[in-house]
Amino acid sequence: MKMSLSLTTSLQQTLTPQQIQYLKLLQLPILQLEQHIRQEIEENPMLEEVNEIDNYEELQEPEFIPQSEKDEQVFSASPDLYDDNDSYGSDDQDYVSTELNESVTDPFEFYETAWQDNTISDQPRDFDDDDDNGFGFQIKEHRSFFDELTDQFRLLEINRIERIIGECIIGNLDDDGYLRRDLKELLEEINDEIIDINHEIIKQEKQAQTQEEQPTDDASNPALQYALDATFKSSATLFKKNSPQISSKPTTNAGLLPLASMNDIERVLSMIRQLDPPGVGSRSVQECLLAQLYMSDNHDDDHKNAIRVLEQAYDSFTMKHYHIIMRSLGINEEELKSALDIIRHLNPKPGQGDSLGMSSTVIPDYSIDYDEKTDDIIIVINDSRIPELRVNKMYERLKKDARVNKYNKDTKHWLRKKFDDAKFLLQAIHQRKITMLKVMTGIAGLQKDFFKIGQEGLRPLIYKDVADDTGLDVSTICRIVNGKFAQTPYGTFELRYFFSESLPSDDGEEISTRIVKQRIKELIDSEKKGKPMSDEKLTKELKKLGLNIARRTVAKYREQLRIPVARLRREL
């Protein structure tokens, strides 16, 4: 193997920590950006939030003398002021000067230097505001689905074993209210918990027995130790000997809990299914729907037919084979239609997906409107939740004083680092707003017809088109678009909604795939429910509209719209 030396040239791109932080700020939505800024305010004392009162007081704030100039005045004072022969505290002027000198020479005692030039805005304020009474906005406490269910179960007449079983079952329900776990696994988990409880009971009994077996004499009785005379001690001892002794020794294994059985779990599970909402704790959709029908007060023929459909022809019901149901149950179409109408009003998800019980709320990052008079698109960035920041004046003066005062190296480094971080965050937030406005302006310019006429004007668009229009990189466009929302006259949309692929039409024009999906949805909504259109029929109808696409493409778009096949869309 021959060894040789070679010289190569390579170019690498590295990102500074500030650039990485700026890229993270770009991809943060409005709520996460607010949380990030609040966290920076807590961690960096150089940052402070500005409000209208601070701005008003800045106009009236008197001119102050920097601390460095005050220190120079102290250093240039008369030598007599620092004469060692002067008595400390003999004069008020000597006291103040000596105190200032000590604060300067000690690098750790800089708080007094920082606060002695306290401005009006830094002082605590006491405003009498009639609109703010100190209570603030009252937020209602939310109780989850599981909390309500547990409270209902505890109101039943149950013993301790049933309570342990019921709480374990409720804790294993999913967000839809179903019990997906195997009962044998639950039985093992419940019995393990009962065994732990029994061990704790035995331990407590042994501790109580040990305490009772310990002898008690007069020496260990503090009441007798501090008796006034010997007569009282002898009387107490005589009373103890003549008193009847009642044994409170615990009976062995008297309070132990028995292990649970499968019958116990089935019995408690049936009790939970009768709670509100009905059907909770079921192990299948069929079981959930039947539990709701059993608890209904209606017992007419239609109600009985609905129970028969779910009990005897559930598989045919799920496949919508109505002719098989009518033949197997011996009912006509009208009776089946009435039974299906009752089933349709049942709740297949009694838990309603309540993991937090709160519906998600979207706060748009942009507010976009179209001005018909000027034919302009007005874009406003929603930064009302973003606090207005500035560099804290107190710490900024402290950083300047560090050049004159004899602070240690760590203190100076800490002040400089926090000051640089605060300055960069202010610049990054400003640059983020400019970049977001630039990207949204490019999107709105390319999708101008959408803001004029709505979804019909949506045209094909990809990230590269916006990057070419704005002069930014595609990765920057991607960071801006992901997770951001825009409020328009036609609704609130995610920015990714404005980007879609294209399909050619018979006229040779490029049409957005979102328009094709909208046409498919409109055709399915207008079809006859008793005879829905197949994917082949939908393809022919789209060709009549000038959209020449394949059947498999129609099936793919239908599945993306979460629309079932024609057989499952059929209704009586």
Side-chain angles (χ1 to χ4, degrees):
M1 182 176 180
K2 185 178 179 179
M3 298 181 63
S4 62
L5 296 176
S6 62
L7 181 63
T8 59
T9 303
S10 62
L11 181 63
Q12 294 181 350
Q13 182 180 6
T14 58
L15 297 177
T16 62
Q18 289 79 7
Q19 290 174 327
I20 296 176
Q21 183 181 3
Y22 172 67
L23 294 177
K24 290 181 179 180
L25 290 180
L26 278 181
Q27 61 187 8
L28 291 181
I30 181 68
L31 289 180
Q32 296 182 13
L33 178 62
E34 180 189 8
Q35 295 174 359
H36 178 76
I37 293 177
R38 297 290 183 187
Q39 183 178 359
E40 289 291 335
I41 294 176
E42 294 179 359
E43 295 177 355
N44 193 346
M46 285 284 184
L47 290 171
E48 68 176 354
E49 186 175 353
V50 182
N51 52 44
E52 297 179 357
I53 299 176
D54 292 334
N55 294 332
Y56 173 76
E57 293 180 347
E58 282 183 359
L59 300 177
Q60 299 183 347
E61 183 179 353
E63 183 179 358
F64 62 90
I65 302 175
Q67 179 63 27
S68 59
E69 297 182 7
K70 292 187 176 184
D71 294 338
E72 292 177 359
Q73 295 177 4
V74 174
F75 293 149
S76 61
S78 175
D80 298 337
L81 192 63
Y82 302 98
D83 191 0
D84 296 335
N85 297 327
D86 293 343
S87 59
Y88 179 78
S90 60
D91 187 68
D92 293 339
Q93 185 178 4
D94 295 344
Y95 176 80
V96 174
S97 302
T98 306
E99 185 179 0
L100 276 174
N101 189 24
E102 291 179 353
S103 65
V104 171
T105 56
D106 191 351
F108 296 98
E109 296 294 337
F110 59 86
Y111 295 102
E112 183 180 357
T113 306
W115 288 101
Q116 64 184 357
D117 285 334
N118 196 6
T119 57
I120 300 178
S121 60
D122 296 328
Q123 296 176 359
R125 309 178 184 89
D126 185 13
F127 298 101
D128 187 9
D129 192 354
D130 296 336
D131 297 333
D132 186 7
N133 55 7
F135 292 98
F137 181 74
Q138 299 293 332
I139 301 178
K140 182 181 178 181
E141 181 184 1
H142 173 75
R143 292 184 59 80
S144 67
F145 159 74
F146 303 101
D147 295 335
E148 296 289 347
L149 200 62
T150 302
D151 292 343
Q152 294 182 53
F153 180 74
R154 290 176 178 175
L155 294 176
L156 301 177
E157 296 182 359
I158 54 178
N159 53 37
R160 189 174 180 182
I161 295 295
E162 292 173 340
R163 178 173 179 175
I164 295 174
I165 297 174
E167 292 179 353
C168 182
I169 293 176
I170 294 175
N172 283 275
L173 298 179
D174 61 6
D175 295 340
D176 294 333
Y178 286 90
L179 181 63
R180 308 290 185 183
R181 290 191 60 183
D182 186 32
L183 295 185
K184 293 182 179 179
E185 296 179 0
L186 283 179
L187 180 61
E188 294 178 0
E189 180 179 342
I190 292 171
N191 285 333
D192 290 341
E193 183 179 354
I194 293 176
I195 291 174
D196 293 339
I197 295 176
N198 288 337
H199 287 167
E200 187 66 25
I201 293 176
I202 295 174
K203 181 179 178 181
Q204 293 178 0
E205 290 181 350
K206 289 182 178 180
Q207 291 178 354
Q209 183 178 0
T210 303
Q211 292 178 358
E212 290 187 359
E213 290 178 353
Q214 291 180 354
T216 57
D217 51 2
D218 297 342
S220 62
N221 191 343
L224 297 181
Q225 291 179 7
Y226 296 96
L228 296 180
D229 50 15
T231 306
F232 180 83
K233 292 184 179 181
S234 59
S235 300
T237 304
L238 183 62
F239 176 79
K240 179 180 178 181
K241 293 181 178 180
N242 297 331
S243 298
Q245 301 296 323
I246 301 177
S247 176
S248 59
K249 183 178 180 179
T251 306
T252 305
N253 299 337
L256 297 184
L257 300 178
L259 296 179
S261 62
M262 189 61 67
N263 294 331
D264 296 332
I265 295 181
E266 292 285 357
R267 184 180 68 257
V268 175
L269 187 57
S270 62
M271 297 168 61
I272 294 178
R273 291 198 194 102
Q274 299 177 5
L275 300 177
D276 187 40
V280 66
S282 301
R283 287 165 286 184
S284 64
V285 179
Q286 179 184 12
E287 192 175 277
C288 176
L289 298 179
L290 285 173
Q292 298 177 46
L293 291 175
Y294 292 151
M295 295 183 63
S296 176
D297 297 332
N298 189 4
H299 301 288
D300 55 7
D301 293 338
D302 295 335
H303 184 83
K304 294 179 180 178
N305 288 332
I307 296 178
R308 293 177 60 197
V309 169
L310 294 177
E311 287 181 343
Q312 305 175 20
Y314 182 74
D315 293 337
S316 300
F317 166 74
T318 57
M319 303 300 292
K320 292 195 174 182
H321 293 162
Y322 297 133
H323 61 285
I324 299 178
I325 298 176
M326 290 185 291
R327 184 173 64 251
S328 61
L329 298 182
I331 56 179
N332 55 34
E333 184 175 342
E334 289 298 327
E335 292 174 339
L336 178 59
K337 187 176 181 180
S338 300
L340 294 179
D341 186 64
I342 294 176
I343 298 175
R344 194 175 293 113
H345 285 80
L346 300 177
N347 183 12
K349 296 182 179 181
Q352 295 296 330
D354 189 340
S355 59
L356 295 177
M358 303 287 288
S359 59
S360 58
T361 303
V362 174
I363 298 181
D365 299 84
Y366 299 93
S367 179
I368 306 175
D369 199 1
Y370 174 71
D371 191 353
E372 298 180 355
K373 296 181 180 180
T374 60
D375 193 31
D376 292 332
I377 298 177
I378 303 173
I379 302 174
V380 178
I381 294 181
N382 181 18
D383 56 355
S384 58
R385 301 182 63 91
I386 306 302
E388 184 180 355
L389 302 179
R390 69 179 178 186
V391 178
N392 189 291
K393 292 183 177 180
M394 182 193 70
Y395 282 94
E396 187 176 7
R397 290 197 302 271
L398 192 62
K399 176 180 172 296
K400 295 178 180 179
D401 294 341
R403 301 175 182 176
V404 180
N405 298 338
K406 296 181 181 179
Y407 297 154
N408 57 24
K409 183 178 179 180
D410 294 338
T411 303
K412 292 181 179 180
H413 175 74
W414 182 85
L415 291 172
R416 182 170 61 253
K417 182 179 181 301
K418 293 298 182 181
F419 180 80
D420 294 341
D421 292 344
K423 281 292 186 180
F424 174 78
L425 182 62
L426 296 178
Q427 297 173 1
I429 294 175
H430 178 70
Q431 185 62 35
R432 175 185 180 273
K433 184 176 181 179
I434 295 176
T435 307
M436 289 185 61
L437 186 61
K438 191 174 183 179
V439 172
M440 193 64 237
T441 303
I443 296 175
L446 296 173
Q447 296 284 10
K448 191 172 183 178
D449 292 340
F450 171 84
F451 299 99
K452 286 184 178 181
I453 61 177
Q455 299 181 5
E456 298 294 331
L458 198 65
R459 61 180 293 266
L461 186 65
I462 59 177
Y463 289 160
K464 190 176 184 303
D465 297 336
V466 181
D468 296 339
D469 184 74
T470 58
L472 299 174
D473 191 78
V474 177
S475 61
T476 303
I477 305 299
C478 183
R479 286 188 176 91
I480 293 293
V481 171
N482 288 340
K484 308 296 193 309
F485 290 83
Q487 181 181 359
T488 69
Y490 305 100
T492 301
F493 300 92
E494 193 173 3
L495 293 191
R496 288 187 297 180
Y497 177 81
F498 299 102
F499 296 88
S500 60
E501 298 178 355
S502 61
L503 287 175
S505 63
D506 293 342
D507 299 335
E509 298 180 356
E510 297 290 335
I511 300 179
S512 173
T513 55
R514 296 192 182 275
I515 300 297
V516 178
K517 294 178 182 179
Q518 184 66 24
R519 294 289 182 268
I520 294 175
K521 187 176 184 302
E522 291 174 356
L523 290 174
I524 293 177
D525 291 340
S526 60
E527 68 183 1
K528 295 181 180 180
K529 302 303 180 182
K531 191 177 181 181
M533 292 185 290
S534 62
D535 294 339
E536 187 68 29
K537 180 66 174 177
L538 289 173
T539 304
K540 295 179 180 179
E541 293 294 330
L542 290 174
K543 287 183 179 179
K544 295 179 182 179
L545 299 176
L547 301 175
N548 189 8
I549 58 177
R551 184 197 61 81
R552 60 179 179 273
T553 306
V554 174
K556 182 181 70 173
Y557 290 164
R558 176 183 54 76
E559 292 174 357
Q560 292 177 356
L561 294 172
R562 296 182 178 180
I563 299 177
V565 295
R567 176 175 52 81
L568 297 180
R569 299 199 306 269
R570 181 172 176 266
E571 296 180 3
L572 292 177

